[in-house]
Each structure stands twice: as C-alpha cells, then as structure tokens.
C-alpha cells in the first residue's frame, strides 16, 4: 500500500518524504506543481490541492496511511477538514497529523485554535491517528539570522518562560517512524498524541547568549515587544498573519512552550539518538555565514 504526504515540498514534508524513502516505503507526494517538486527517485508525485476535492479523491485512491500537514494560511482549517473527510471516505486507516504543542492552551491564536479543532474532529470521527504536537521550529530563526549577525539583536519576543525549540529534521523523523508504524500494523492503532520538543527549554536571554557564543561577539535580547514584532512582520506577510504571530508571541510570554515530563525521553528512545539542539543550529549558521 501507499503512504501519502501532503505539504510535500515544504521544509517538514520534504524531510518526511526523504525519511520514508530511506526506509523503503512506498510514498506518494501531493504537490501543486509536479514539474518543480524535485523529490527523491521512486516517489509517486501527483498534482493536487487541499481545496480541490476531485484532486484529493484521485490522490487518496489506494492510499493506506496519510501524513496531513496544513500550512499557516487563512483557510487552513477548511483544508484539514476536507482532507480528513475524504481520507475517511477513501478508507484510509492510519493518519499522522501535524498539529502544534499547547494547541489546547493558545486558544486565542488562530492557527493554534484551528489545529486544536482538527484534533477534536479526529477524535470525534474515530479516526486512527497520531497527533504530533511540535514546539517552535528552530529553523524558523533562519529568517532573522541577518538581524542577529548584522545588528547583534535577537528580535523574536520569546520571553522568559522558555520554548522547547525543536529541529524540523527531528519532527520529520518522528513523523516517518509513526507513519511506518501505522502502515505496518495488522490492525488500526488507537489515537495517540506526541509532543515533539527539543533538548533545551530556552528563554530570549538564553538564545541571545547562544548566538553570542557562536558569533564571538555580543548579541542582545531587547525584550518582549510583541507590537513591534507584528509591525516588522507586516513588511513581508499579510496583516492577518502578522497579527496571528503577535498573538502567538504574547502566549510565549505568558505560557511558554514547555514539555511534559517524559517527552524528551520518549523522543530519544524513538529516534535512538539525542535530540538536535539550538546551539548546534546557531554554530552551523554562524559557520556558513
């Protein structure tokens, strides 16, 4: 049978496909533009869109396990509901859904609330799924590396509660492990949630100190200015998305993104290795500058 990956050309989806292909899985990738997909040999690349019902019905035909990833877009929730209904109609027995940690806590943040609603749908429909709840992606900080390196400032308002930042390659490998576990099971497996976190819970001051060490010069954390953060984001993303990110930043300050007891031990046991750290990311980024 076949494992279908949505979001296949994005950062996480592409790595999920690579992990699955390396494990010998039969993989299908749903993409908007197959001619530009550039995915590993042997991957069945199909054209489709999560709002195009006909293309989903075709892509889901013959699929036994689904990796569902929805980007942060205005109609993310609708995309997910359509995909899950069509997956149920197609008889797909195993699903791995990429949600977000504290989706049930950050309920005023649009893309968190949407993901939590999808989780509830999965439960109420009785779907057999693993819900992955990753923390803040370490790789997101590639977008602000020039600010860090050129101005000596870490600009994201992550506060003093701390975020258990996670490397996307760890997310992708955990996803592949769960997809194959569900694919190979003789019977549908029960619903499960997994917090996907990194090895350290880092505050704004911690991250600035890591960059200072990596660059060999001071990097400051100027504080928790979520309004300024929103205004900066509005220069390169839609206003609704910038406001969504501001609301997320406000919850960083009040709640943090904290793992539960045993989360890290569970992940290291699944992966058979240590979790990748922010310190290593900063060192690689500094070395490649």
């Amino acid at each position: 049978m076949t494992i279908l990956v949505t979001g296949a050309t994005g950062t996480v989806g592409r790595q999920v496909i690579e992990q699955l292909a390396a494990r010998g899985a039969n993989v299908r990738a749903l993409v908007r533009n197959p001619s530009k997909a550039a995915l590993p040999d042997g991957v069945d690349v199909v054209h489709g869109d999560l709002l195009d019902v006909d293309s989903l019905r075709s892509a889901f035909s013959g699929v036994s396990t689904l990796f569902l990833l929805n980007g942060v877009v205005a109609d993310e929730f609708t995309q997910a509901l359509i995909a899950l209904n069509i997956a149920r109609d197609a008889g797909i027995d195993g699903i791995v859904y990429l949600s977000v940690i504290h989706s049930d806590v950050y309920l005023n943040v649009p893309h968190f609330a949407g993901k939590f609603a999808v989780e509830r749908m999965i439960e109420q429909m009785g779907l057999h799924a693993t819900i992955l709840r990753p923390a803040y992606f370490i790789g997101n900080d590639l977008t602000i590396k020039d600010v860090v390196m050129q101005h000596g400032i870490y600009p994201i308002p992550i506060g003093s509660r701390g975020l258990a930042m996670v490397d996307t390659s760890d997310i992708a490998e955990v996803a592949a492990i769960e997809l194959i576990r569900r694919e190979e099971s003789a019977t549908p497996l029960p619903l499960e949630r997994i917090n996907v976190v990194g090895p350290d819970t880092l505050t704004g001051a911690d991250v600035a100190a890591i960059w200072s060490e990596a660059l060999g010069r001071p990097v400051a954390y100027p504080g928790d200015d979520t309004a300024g953060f929103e205004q900066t984001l509005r220069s390169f993303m839609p206003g609704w998305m910038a406001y969504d990110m501001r609301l997320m930043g406000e919850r960083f300050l009040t709640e943090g993104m904290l793992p539960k007891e045993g989360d890290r031990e569970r992940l290291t046991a699944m992966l058979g290795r240590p979790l990748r750290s922010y310190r290593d990311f900063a060192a690689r980024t500094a070395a490649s500058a």
Side-chain angles (χ1 to χ4, degrees):
M1 298 296 284
T2 299
I3 299 174
L4 176 69
V5 176
T6 73
T9 58
T11 301
V12 174
R14 184 177 294 276
Q15 291 183 87
V16 171
I17 285 176
E18 291 170 353
Q19 288 285 341
L20 290 171
R23 289 167 164 78
N26 187 20
V27 184
R28 182 178 297 171
L30 183 73
V31 303
R32 289 192 178 93
N33 190 340
S35 66
K36 296 183 178 180
L39 293 170
D41 292 343
V43 173
D44 178 21
V45 179
V46 298
H47 174 263
D49 185 281
L50 290 172
L51 293 176
D52 182 341
V53 172
D54 290 339
S55 73
L56 290 188
R57 285 177 172 146
S58 177
F60 285 20
S61 178
V63 168
S64 48
T65 307
L66 169 67
F67 178 66
L68 181 59
L69 183 160
N70 302 97
V72 179
V73 292
D75 49 14
E76 173 183 352
F77 183 55
T78 300
Q79 290 182 12
L81 299 195
I82 289 172
L84 288 171
N85 276 293
I86 293 176
R88 181 182 61 177
D89 293 345
I92 294 175
D93 288 328
I95 295 168
V96 175
Y97 172 59
L98 192 69
S99 183
V100 64
I101 197 170
H102 302 335
S103 61
D104 53 342
V105 176
Y106 286 35
L107 286 175
N108 66 311
V109 181
H111 72 282
F112 281 69
K115 286 180 167 62
F116 184 55
V118 174
E119 291 187 26
R120 291 177 59 200
M121 177 185 172
I122 288 170
E123 286 185 298
Q124 291 182 11
M125 290 177 69
L127 299 175
H128 302 102
T130 297
I131 296 170
L132 299 182
R133 287 179 154 186
Y136 180 89
F137 295 2
I138 289 173
N140 287 349
D141 282 5
L142 285 172
T143 62
I144 50 90
K145 68 182 179 66
D146 291 342
V147 177
V148 174
M149 293 180 178
Q150 296 173 19
H151 301 286
I153 292 172
Y154 181 77
I156 299 178
I158 64 175
S160 59
R161 294 278 292 165
L163 310 183
M165 299 184 182
V166 61
D167 194 293
T168 55
S169 60
D170 287 349
I171 299 169
E173 191 168 349
V174 169
I177 289 168
E178 281 298 296
L179 286 163
I180 289 176
R181 184 174 74 93
R182 289 188 176 275
E183 173 74 6
E184 293 181 345
S185 176
T187 58
L189 299 173
L191 179 71
E192 189 166 1
R193 285 182 171 87
I194 301 175
N195 287 339
V196 190
V197 298
D200 308 299
T201 301
L202 301 172
T203 66
D206 292 334
V207 174
I210 289 171
W211 279 111
S212 298
E213 179 182 331
L215 296 172
R217 58 182 183 274
V219 172
Y221 177 66
D224 305 333
D225 182 10
T226 56
F229 182 54
E230 178 190 356
Q231 289 306 309
T232 299
L233 294 178
R234 286 175 68 95
S235 67
F236 60 89
M237 65 175 60
W240 68 264
M241 186 182 293
Y243 185 59
D244 190 329
M245 296 301 113
R246 173 185 178 164
L247 293 171
M248 178 180 69
E250 290 173 354
R251 300 311 291 267
F252 287 168
L253 305 187
T254 58
E255 310 292 339
M257 279 188 163
L258 309 176
K260 292 183 178 179
E261 184 176 353
D263 281 346
R264 289 177 172 126
E265 291 78 8
R266 179 184 192 179
L267 294 168
T268 54
M270 288 180 69
L271 296 171
R273 58 169 175 78
L275 298 165
R276 294 180 171 91
S277 71
Y278 193 99
R279 188 176 301 276
D280 290 342
F281 160 78
R284 289 195 309 270
T285 304
S288 64

